[in-house]
Amino acid sequence: MRKIIIFLMVLYSINTEALGREFPANTIYAILKSVNYPQITIQEIPSNWGSSMLGLFFLSSATMQMTPASVLRDQDNNNQVQNYIYNIINQPVAIQPDYQGRVWLIWYLTDNETQWVINNKYNIWK
């Protein structure tokens, strides 16, 4: 019985690491380009070095308004103070808007999550 429990614990830990975090369906994946609080400018995540170099010409960008209660979460899902947003400029993020379209949650993406976003083409806005 003990071996079965240990096996299930190991199997569960492997699967959770492979999946990473789960994001809501309306999540926007982007690069945080600039912060002029309470507004942020975001851009599509480039899928390769060529689109990254030519990003100013080909990649879409948008400006979003932050809520006064916006929450930042790091790669370990720990909440961060809003002033840390300046440390993640030019980094890939996942943004969950509230019901009015304002920024409610911002997650810093890990390298694996960023690659997953690119592979599933969630980085391309329609």
Side-chain angles (χ1 to χ4, degrees):
M1 183 68 173
R2 180 184 275 171
K3 290 180 182 180
I4 292 172
I5 292 173
I6 292 173
F7 173 75
L8 290 175
M9 289 174 58
V10 169
L11 183 65
Y12 176 75
S13 67
I14 291 171
N15 284 338
T16 56
E17 295 218 5
L19 294 175
R21 297 179 284 188
E22 292 185 22
F23 300 105
N26 64 340
T27 301
I28 300 167
Y29 301 98
I31 299 283
L32 182 65
K33 293 308 283 183
S34 66
V35 177
N36 186 12
Y37 189 82
Q39 294 183 342
I40 62 171
T41 303
I42 57 174
Q43 184 182 56
E44 289 181 54
I45 298 174
S47 55
N48 56 41
W49 67 270
S51 60
S52 179
M53 297 281 291
L54 302 172
L56 295 174
F57 303 108
F58 297 114
L59 299 176
S60 298
S61 63
T63 301
M64 295 184 76
Q65 188 86 8
M66 293 180 68
T67 66
S70 293
V71 177
L72 301 175
R73 292 198 177 145
D74 64 10
Q75 291 93 344
D76 297 322
N77 263 358
N78 296 322
N79 290 346
Q80 300 290 321
V81 180
Q82 274 192 1
N83 284 343
Y84 282 108
I85 195 167
Y86 296 101
N87 296 341
I88 58 170
I89 292 177
N90 291 321
Q91 299 298 318
V93 295
I95 297 171
Q96 182 183 5
D98 67 2
Y99 66 95
Q100 294 180 333
R102 299 177 301 176
V103 176
W104 178 46
L105 278 170
I106 300 176
W107 289 277
Y108 311 176
L109 293 179
T110 63
D111 292 336
N112 290 338
E113 291 168 341
T114 304
Q115 194 58 47
W116 174 83
V117 167
I118 291 170
N119 290 343
N120 291 304
K121 300 196 184 313
Y122 293 133
N123 60 323
I124 300 170
W125 302 346
K126 298 189 182 314

